[in-house]
Amino acid sequence: MAPAKTFAERRHKWDVKLSPFGFISPYFLIFGVFGLFPLLYTAFVSLQKRNLLDADGATFIGFGNYERLLFHDPYFWNAMGNTVSLWLLTTIPQILFALGIAHLLNRRLRGRTLFRMGMILPNITSVAAVTIIFAQLFGRDFGLVNWVLSWFGAGQVDWQAGTATSHTAIAAMVVWRWTGYHALIFLASMQAIPASMYEAATLDGARGWQQFWRITVPLLRPQIIFSTVIATTGNMRLLAEPLLFNPGTAAATGGSDRQFQTAALYLYEQGFTKYDFGYSSAIALVLAVATMLVAGVSYLVTRRIQTD
């Protein structure tokens, strides 16, 4: 007959089983307080007609906010169109430029450590400072960009007035700020690729460009997918760039004709200038679902391209 287990043995058994859950519990506690609870509360508020300054006067209206948002609000769909446009103009150039920069920094360059350190500087710069500076660069009357374009005979472009021009200017800000971040991710992965693979490709007659597309890019598939998803989730909720690009009375509307108002900026307008907290909560949830869908599509497309 086997002897009964002592208290120390039983404690050791439970410690081995339960201690891993204790180690990861802080994450779930923090996520529950700062992630899950706000999400659930936002869903609850979205079912109400609620003024931000009069929470006690809220009334339950069910899915009325969603019906109004999806079927009777052209401004929302305009904002979603602007969001998708800016997503395309920012995500694709970010990934392509980051790959090219990482490839250059992976070569033997003089002072390459300094260049690598400089890649992260745009990312740690205040977004407000970046937006204000770029707004001056793309100024209509005294902007540096228009001054350079005048060398080629172009007239003064009012970057804030048009849809295409404003989207181009805002995309330039985002691409400048985040390309270095993705480039460092790609660079770290490139350095983990064995040099013997490039040596074998050289012996087979493959040149630098062929090695890059046939060896480097396929082996960076997980990092490319990761960066694409991260860039997508960030670019689908652009707020500070369009908000500060045209400061003043039309800041929350994204221009005089809402030509660069994103969905996140429309949420800000409804929640913090019109104080319609229930409606803005509905916008937040719809935007979250749209972001997940677009991120999923980006993942599948990137994975398909890498596989082919």
Side-chain angles (χ1 to χ4, degrees), residues 102-103 106-107 186-187 189-220:
H103 181 63
N106 196 38
R107 302 170 66 89
F186 295 151
L187 176 61
S189 301
M190 287 179 183
Q191 293 178 337
I193 299 176
S196 58
M197 299 188 67
Y198 295 103
E199 294 172 356
T202 302
L203 294 176
D204 289 338
R207 301 300 180 186
W209 189 251
Q210 294 174 320
Q211 293 180 12
F212 176 72
W213 285 110
R214 298 294 183 179
I215 298 177
T216 305
V217 173
L219 291 177
L220 291 182

Side-chain angles (χ1 to χ4, degrees), residues 212-232:
F212 176 72
W213 285 110
R214 298 294 183 179
I215 298 177
T216 305
V217 173
L219 291 177
L220 291 182
R221 174 184 170 185
Q223 290 73 29
I224 293 175
I225 293 175
F226 169 79
S227 290
T228 302
V229 173
I230 292 297
T232 296

Side-chain angles (χ1 to χ4, degrees), residues 59 71 84 180 184 275:
T59 56
F71 301 106
V84 173
L184 291 181
Y275 308 115

